[in-house]
């Protein structure tokens, strides 16, 4: 699954991952502050970023995909990959998978931001 990002901005610093009560998931990246001056003595900070919008089901699938890719790229242990595959078959909607996916996405974003610095 490839996320479709759109540019956005806000006067409030956004969270990297946000789940709304209506089960909409926002994934944001490249969050950068931009100070704008609107007269001689006043300025305001806007946050510009890219944002993808997913349903909770799409987010679950995306998190599962990231976990699988991470297991394949970072582990040459066949047993770990076998266990991961078994968990996916038995519980795609399992809360633990969603939380692990969120952690993977967070780590990926943090690592990307460190590379940009």
């Amino acid at each position: 699954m490839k996320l479709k990002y759109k540019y956005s901005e806000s006067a409030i610093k956004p969270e990297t991952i946000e789940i709304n009560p209506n089960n909409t998931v926002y994934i944001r990246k490249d969050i950068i502050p931009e100070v704008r001056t609107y007269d001689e003595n006043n300025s305001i900070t806007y946050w510009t970023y890219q944002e993808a919008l997913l349903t909770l089901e799409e987010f679950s699938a995306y998190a599962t995909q990231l976990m699988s890719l991470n297991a394949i790229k970072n582990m040459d242990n066949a047993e770990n990959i076998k266990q991961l595959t078994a968990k996916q078959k038995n519980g795609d909607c399992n809360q633990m998978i969603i939380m692990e996916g969120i952690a993977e996405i967070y780590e990926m974003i943090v690592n990307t931001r460190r590379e940009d610095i």
Side-chain angles (χ1 to χ4, degrees):
M1 171 187 290
K2 183 145 176 95
L3 298 183
K4 295 178 184 178
Y5 286 96
K6 294 182 180 181
Y7 284 95
S8 189
E9 64 180 37
S10 174
I12 300 170
K13 184 177 181 180
E15 296 293 325
T16 305
I17 297 174
E18 179 182 337
I19 302 174
N20 285 345
N22 63 355
N23 293 329
T24 302
V25 181
Y26 295 92
I27 298 177
R28 299 180 181 106
K29 68 178 185 175
D30 301 333
I31 301 170
I32 301 170
E34 182 180 302
V35 178
R36 297 180 188 170
T37 303
Y38 58 91
D39 66 28
E40 289 182 20
N41 298 320
N42 295 309
S43 62
I44 187 168
T45 300
Y46 280 89
W47 298 88
T48 60
Y49 49 92
Q50 293 185 57
E51 176 178 76
L53 178 68
L54 303 168
T55 65
L56 200 53
E57 293 79 19
E58 290 170 332
F59 178 70
S60 178
Y62 179 67
T64 301
Q65 179 185 16
L66 282 180
M67 286 177 26
S68 298
L69 290 172
N70 190 46
I72 292 168
K73 286 193 298 189
N74 296 329
M75 296 181 197
D76 56 359
N77 184 335
E79 185 59 33
N80 287 336
I81 295 171
K82 182 180 172 184
Q83 288 177 2
L84 178 63
T85 305
K87 286 180 184 176
Q88 288 174 343
K89 289 178 185 175
N90 292 331
D92 284 336
C93 295
N94 187 319
Q95 184 67 28
M96 183 58 79
I97 291 173
I98 293 172
M99 295 306 293
E100 288 173 355
I102 291 170
E104 291 290 332
I105 292 170
Y106 178 79
E107 287 178 17
M108 184 177 70
I109 291 169
V110 168
N111 290 336
T112 301
R113 293 191 77 195
R114 285 184 185 150
E115 291 171 6
D116 290 341
I117 294 177

